């Protein structure tokens, strides 16, 4: 199957405007008879369901949590990007587009990224109208802060809980449509299969997680808004429930998987503290806005950070990347931290951490505050107190979270941080209209591959999720459904639904009948170790080949020795988890295959064999300037299709933040 990205012709900055002007429309009366299934109710899913319901479509929304408000989008802390140029510091739609393309190491599509930059400003207006409590300056204007990979301040934020506030905004819109009857909400339901009729997605099989019953649901189109698959690594910043199952079922039904190996490592996580942990906690990238990252200049220095003098500290990001300093992109900051720790300069009991220090910012803010209050001769203690109050207002909940988890006061002692798995840039391959290679099946937000290339800029996940849901899918979905208005709702006793439900049921029974000796969790943990060690921050051909063999053996063992207690027709979280881990094992194999065939380093994909003399990523544009789109052909069998990336406006160059 040839890949057609459906990028409109014409000038880059006019493509989306022209598309919207010429796309097909569905009249209001016809919308009322078209049924849409939305799987997932995070920012992408809630905004899509609310928007489509408002437009008059009949929407069914599904989430496996007990409420849409439990979606993992709430965990995003630092902010959301938009090219508003409120700071008058040189920002523009083009600059946001350029920063995103460069930040993704020239492995993203120009057309999609420019559209994202264009609609970014609308998102802020939409959210302000919903009442999202963005931080404001003294004069009432919305405040902005810096994020990695940019030299302008374009990140809008609500303290350290931006994702939560944005989700509440989308949730309000969704709940309004539920009350009006345009959206039917199915919580505690997990999608376990895509139903195809005549090659088109026409519904899903979902499992009621409370009763264990399987249900059939018809839709003229199916939208997957199910987030990323970072939990394939076991330890990640993702919520424990986050999984790949919906996307993986779609993949097995013919939806190509794009760039599965492009994983984002976030540089500011609380370090692993032992084998007892099941997830990691993120400290927002916004902290790099004011915090300075350093390690001692002396290897194995065991002194307390407060005892190490300024001249004995190595502010290594400021030293290596003077133009961006602590605000280099996530992949660059993560690798630099790993390099320092591997070289013996790490701190803390594990020596696998670096310091994130707010002492300079506290004093800087304190001096400004003192002058505001006419206290020009305030002593250091007073200045520090005033500065702490400012930092508390900007980042207070993040500092509280750190203190609760570590038992240390980050206002006094620098935070210890280390990189961890965070976001996945890979996902289902979609065209410009967000449709997968299965007609009628769409993927939005982190579930698709489309906008970030090999590395996502901080504060762009929320932007993409809301852009897809509020401003893209309402047009692109209508463009396709306009040809489907004569299709009546297909009864769910259709043979395709019966067959799909039988396959789901057989798989569940097969899992329950293994009756082995090892817990689901232990298989997940073992998979995560293979993935982190061999397909994590550093990858090489030998390790990836070993990982593929190890994962194949692990899958065999899983299907012969996993232990799942309980029954099928009841609330059984171990059974739910078993299905997700089975899918993670298969995905892990594909990720390693993808990483093995991409003989270059780009963004978060760092092949140790391909690096510059000073340890930077070494791209090979001649051979690898493409999206790797994988087609499922059977167990351990995937076929690679390539979508070449054509850069008409930005000319790829060696990425430098120096």
């Amino acid at each position: 199957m040839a890949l057609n990205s459906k990028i409109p012709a014409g000038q880059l900055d006019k493509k989306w405007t022209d598309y919207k002007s010429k796309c097909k429309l569905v009249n209001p009366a016809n919308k009322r008879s078209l049924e849409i299934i939305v799987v997932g109710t995070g920012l992408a899913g809630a905004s899509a369901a609310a928007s489509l319901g408002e437009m008059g479509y009949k929407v069914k929304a599904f989430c496996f949590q007990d409420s849409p408000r439990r979606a993992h989008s709430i965990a995003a802390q630092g902010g959301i990007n938009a090219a508003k140029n409120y700071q008058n510091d040189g920002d523009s739609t083009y600059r946001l587009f350029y920063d995103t393309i460069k930040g993704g190491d020239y492995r993203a599509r120009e057309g999609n990224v420019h559209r994202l930059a264009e609609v970014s400003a609308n998102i802020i207006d939409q959210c302000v109208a919903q009442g999202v409590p963005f931080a404001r300056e003294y004069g009432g204007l919305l405040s902005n802060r810096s994020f990695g990979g940019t030299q302008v301040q374009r990140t809008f934020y609500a303290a350290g809980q931006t994702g939560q506030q944005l989700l509440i905004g989308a949730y309000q819109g969704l709940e309004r449509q539920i009350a009006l009857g345009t959206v039917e909400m199915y919580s505690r339901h997990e999608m376990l299969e895509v139903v195809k009729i005549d090659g088109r997605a026409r519904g899903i099989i979902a499992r009621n997680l409370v009763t264990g019953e399987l249900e059939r649901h018809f839709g003229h189109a199916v939208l997957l808004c199910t987030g990323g698959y970072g939990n394939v690594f076991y330890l990640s910043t993702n919520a424990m429930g986050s999984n790949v199952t919906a996307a993986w079922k779609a993949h097995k039904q013919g939806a190509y998987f794009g760039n599965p190996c492009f994983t984002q490592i976030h540089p500011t996580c609380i370090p692993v503290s032992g084998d007892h942990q099941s997830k990691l906690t993120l400290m927002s990238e916004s902290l790099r806005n004011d915090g300075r990252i350093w390690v001692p200049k002396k290897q194995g220095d065991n002194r307390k950070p407060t005892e190490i003098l300024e001249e004995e500290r190595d502010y290594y990001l400021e030293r290596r990347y003077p133009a961006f300093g602590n605000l280099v992109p996530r992949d660059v900051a993560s690798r630099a931290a790993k390099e320092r720790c591997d070289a013996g300069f790490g701190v803390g009991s594990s020596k696998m951490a670096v310091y994130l220090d707010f002492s300079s910012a506290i004093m800087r803010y304190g001096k400004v505050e003192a002058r505001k209050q006419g206290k020009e001769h305030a002593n250091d203690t007073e200045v520090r107190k005033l500065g702490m109050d400012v930092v508390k207002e900007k980042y207070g909940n993040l500092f509280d979270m750190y203190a609760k988890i570590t038992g240390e006061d980050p206002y006094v002692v620098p935070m210890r941080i280390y990189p961890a798995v965070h976001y996945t840039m890979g996902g289902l391959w979609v065209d410009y209209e967000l449709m997968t290679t299965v007609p009628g099946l769409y993927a939005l937000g982190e579930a698709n591959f489309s906008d970030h290339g090999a590395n996502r800029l901080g504060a762009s996940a929320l932007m993409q999720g809301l852009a897809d849901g509020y401003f893209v899918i309402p047009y692109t979905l209508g463009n396709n459904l306009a040809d489907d208005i004569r299709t009546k709702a297909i009864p769910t006793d259709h043979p395709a639904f019966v067959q799909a439900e039988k396959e789901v049921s057989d798989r569940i029974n097969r899992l329950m009948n293994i009756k082995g000796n090892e817990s689901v969790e232990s298989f997940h943990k073992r998979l995560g170790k293979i993935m982190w060690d061999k397909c994590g921050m550093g990858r090489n051909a030998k390790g990836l080949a070993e990982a593929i063999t190890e994962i194949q053996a692990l899958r065999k063992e899983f299907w012969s020795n996993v232990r799942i207690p309980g029954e099928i027709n009841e609330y059984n979280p171990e059974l739910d988890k078993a299905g997700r881990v089975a899918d993670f094992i298969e995905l892990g194999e594909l990720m390693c295959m993808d990483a093995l065939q991409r003989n270059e380093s780009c963004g978060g994909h760092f092949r140790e064999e391909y690096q510059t003399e000073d340890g930077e990523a070494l791209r090979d544009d001649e051979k690898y300037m493409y999206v790797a789109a994988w087609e499922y052909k059977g167990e351990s069998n995937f076929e690679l299709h390539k979508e070449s990336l054509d850069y008409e406006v930005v000319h790829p160059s060696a990425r430098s933040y120096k």
Side-chain angles (χ1 to χ4, degrees):
M1 176 177 171
L3 284 171
N4 177 10
S5 60
K6 295 187 193 165
I7 304 285
Q11 206 175 301
L12 183 65
D13 57 357
K14 302 275 195 313
K15 287 181 192 291
W16 180 233
T17 305
D18 288 351
Y19 176 93
K20 289 191 293 180
S21 304
K22 295 169 185 170
C23 68
K24 297 173 191 168
L25 301 174
V26 180
N27 85 40
N30 286 334
K31 282 180 186 147
R32 288 194 289 274
S33 60
L34 290 172
E35 299 183 36
I36 317 295
I37 286 174
V38 178
V39 185
T41 53
L43 284 179
S47 59
S51 301
L52 297 171
E54 180 76 35
M55 292 169 80
Y57 291 106
K58 288 166 71 175
V59 181
K60 286 183 176 181
F62 293 81
C63 71
F64 63 70
Q65 298 94 341
D66 50 7
S67 160
R69 279 188 58 180
R70 300 285 292 173
H72 185 55
S73 301
I74 65 160
Q77 299 163 341
I80 176 170
N81 288 332
K84 284 281 202 184
N85 196 29
Y86 282 173
Q87 302 292 327
N88 200 24
D89 56 0
D91 201 10
S92 64
T93 297
Y94 178 83
R95 201 174 290 275
L96 174 52
F97 155 73
Y98 173 78
D99 286 345
T100 306
I101 291 280
K102 177 185 174 185
D105 219 351
Y106 305 96
R107 292 293 176 264
R109 250 194 224 144
E110 277 192 337
N112 287 62
V113 175
H114 200 280
R115 174 175 66 188
L116 180 65
E118 285 176 64
V119 305
S120 66
N122 299 350
I123 296 170
I124 303 304
D125 298 340
Q126 167 91 1
C127 294
V128 168
Q130 288 173 336
V132 172
F134 286 121
R136 294 181 181 266
E137 301 289 3
Y138 175 71
L141 280 176
L142 297 184
S143 182
N144 289 115
R145 56 188 176 203
S146 302
F147 254 67
T150 69
Q151 289 177 307
V152 297
Q153 288 183 285
R154 65 160 71 97
T155 304
F156 295 78
Y157 62 97
Q161 48 178 257
T162 315
Q164 182 172 344
Q165 298 300 336
L166 291 172
L167 185 65
I168 290 170
Y171 171 73
Q172 287 172 174
L174 174 62
E175 285 296 318
R176 179 171 182 270
Q177 296 307 315
I178 292 169
L180 293 173
T182 60
V183 177
E184 206 174 337
M185 186 69 223
Y186 293 84
S187 56
R188 286 283 180 200
H189 280 68
E190 181 167 28
M191 178 201 127
L192 293 179
E193 191 58 275
V194 176
V195 179
K196 288 197 317 190
I197 297 174
D198 299 328
R200 287 188 72 86
R202 289 298 191 192
I204 64 169
I205 303 297
R207 182 166 180 268
N208 180 325
L209 298 181
V210 178
T211 64
E213 287 175 81
L214 296 179
E215 299 175 6
R216 308 170 191 174
H217 295 276
F218 164 79
H220 287 86
V222 176
L223 278 53
L224 300 184
C225 312
T226 49
Y229 49 86
N231 276 352
V232 68
F233 291 89
Y234 186 71
L235 281 180
S236 80
T237 65
N238 288 207
M240 292 296 293
S242 299
N243 64 79
V244 77
T245 288
W248 196 249
K249 300 308 187 208
H251 176 54
K252 286 183 146 183
Q253 286 290 348
Y256 292 4
F257 213 100
N259 297 333
C261 79
F262 285 170
T263 307
Q264 175 153 82
I265 312 291
H266 198 296
T268 47
C269 292
I270 297 178
V272 179
S273 59
D275 288 340
H276 60 284
Q277 273 180 280
S278 52
K279 85 174 293 294
L280 296 173
T281 304
L282 181 68
M283 286 288 102
S284 168
E285 181 172 313
S286 62
L287 296 174
R288 290 200 278 146
N289 187 45
D290 280 318
R292 297 177 74 195
I293 293 171
W294 63 276
V295 291
K297 285 183 178 174
K298 197 172 79 183
Q299 283 178 322
D301 193 331
N302 289 320
R303 289 178 293 169
K304 291 178 182 170
T306 47
E307 294 170 359
I308 300 173
L309 300 174
E310 189 70 15
E311 58 271 19
E312 297 176 305
R313 301 177 176 189
D314 176 15
Y315 294 93
Y316 59 87
L317 290 177
E318 296 169 36
R319 168 172 59 78
R320 284 181 63 175
Y321 308 103
F324 282 72
N326 295 298
L327 289 170
V328 291
R330 292 174 177 179
D331 60 318
V332 177
S334 294
R335 276 197 300 278
K338 181 179 187 292
E339 184 276 328
R340 286 291 79 191
C341 291
D342 289 350
F345 295 92
V347 301
S349 55
S350 68
K351 298 298 179 195
M352 294 305 277
V354 299
Y355 288 127
L356 176 60
D357 194 336
F358 265 76
S359 53
S360 304
I362 287 170
M363 295 306 286
R364 186 176 76 247
Y365 283 128
K367 284 172 186 167
V368 171
E369 246 354 80
R371 291 188 71 84
K372 275 193 206 168
Q373 296 177 20
K375 299 176 180 174
E376 281 87 351
H377 304 295
N379 61 33
D380 281 359
T381 307
E382 285 181 277
V383 168
R384 187 173 287 108
K385 169 73 177 70
L386 291 167
M388 279 170 63
D389 290 342
V390 175
V391 168
K392 195 168 280 186
E393 194 177 323
K394 277 176 170 270
Y395 309 107
N397 63 315
L398 299 171
F399 278 59
D400 293 345
M401 197 180 350
Y402 182 89
K404 278 179 186 163
I405 290 169
T406 64
E408 294 174 1
D409 182 354
Y411 292 103
V412 179
V413 181
M415 291 182 182
R416 283 173 291 108
I417 56 165
Y418 193 71
V421 171
H422 181 50
Y423 186 93
T424 48
M425 285 76 66
L428 293 176
W429 183 92
V430 292
D431 60 23
Y432 190 72
E433 299 188 313
L434 306 183
M435 198 195 290
T436 67
T437 46
V438 173
L441 180 67
Y442 295 78
L444 282 64
E446 193 180 354
N448 74 34
F449 88 98
S450 71
D451 294 1
H452 307 295
N455 172 59
R456 177 174 69 76
L457 289 181
S460 287
L462 305 181
M463 173 172 67
Q464 187 213 340
L466 292 178
D468 287 356
Y470 282 137
F471 298 109
V472 178
I473 202 68
Y475 288 94
T476 63
L477 184 65
N479 190 48
N480 289 287
L481 287 179
D483 297 328
D484 216 15
I485 54 173
R486 289 174 187 81
T487 304
K488 299 284 181 257
I490 298 169
T492 55
D493 58 3
H494 185 284
F497 278 95
V498 176
Q499 179 61 24
E501 185 183 319
K502 181 181 182 304
E503 284 169 12
V504 172
S505 180
D506 288 351
R507 181 180 163 92
I508 290 171
N509 280 306
R510 188 182 160 203
L511 277 168
M512 289 301 292
N513 288 329
I514 296 168
K515 302 193 187 308
N517 300 312
E518 199 173 323
S519 70
V520 176
E521 191 80 354
S522 66
F523 278 107
H524 193 183
K525 216 170 193 173
R526 284 164 61 192
L527 172 67
K529 181 157 176 46
I530 297 168
M531 293 300 295
W532 178 248
D533 289 349
K534 295 178 179 177
C535 195
M537 283 178 75
R539 303 152 179 202
N540 58 58
K542 180 175 176 289
L544 290 164
E546 288 170 358
I548 291 168
T549 307
E550 288 170 27
I551 291 169
Q552 288 170 349
L554 186 71
R555 177 174 58 212
K556 204 171 172 185
E557 196 183 330
F558 175 90
W559 283 100
S560 61
N561 196 34
V562 74
R563 183 183 78 249
I564 305 168
E567 302 297 328
I568 292 173
N569 293 318
E570 64 177 10
Y571 174 67
N572 189 344
E574 282 299 295
L575 174 57
D576 308 336
K577 195 158 59 174
R580 295 167 193 168
V581 171
D583 293 332
F584 274 140
I585 291 172
E586 293 180 13
L587 166 73
E589 182 182 7
L590 177 60
M591 288 171 72
C592 294
M593 289 168 71
D594 187 39
L596 185 56
Q597 70 82 30
R598 191 173 277 278
N599 293 319
E600 64 164 354
S601 289
C602 56
H605 168 64
F606 193 73
R607 280 286 294 274
E608 290 160 358
E609 307 96 319
Y610 306 100
Q611 54 181 299
T612 62
E613 282 178 16
D614 50 358
E616 303 295 341
L618 188 61
R619 288 198 327 266
D620 184 346
D621 289 346
E622 208 172 298
K623 293 181 185 162
Y624 295 98
M625 196 177 277
Y626 61 74
V627 175
W630 295 88
E631 181 182 6
Y632 181 78
K633 292 286 197 179
E635 189 174 297
S636 297
N637 185 6
F638 303 89
E639 185 182 336
L640 174 62
H641 302 265
K642 298 175 183 177
E643 178 204 341
S644 64
L645 293 166
D646 303 312
Y647 289 96
E648 298 170 17
V649 175
V650 176
H651 298 293
S653 58
R655 202 164 56 128
S656 172
Y657 293 93
K658 295 180 177 179

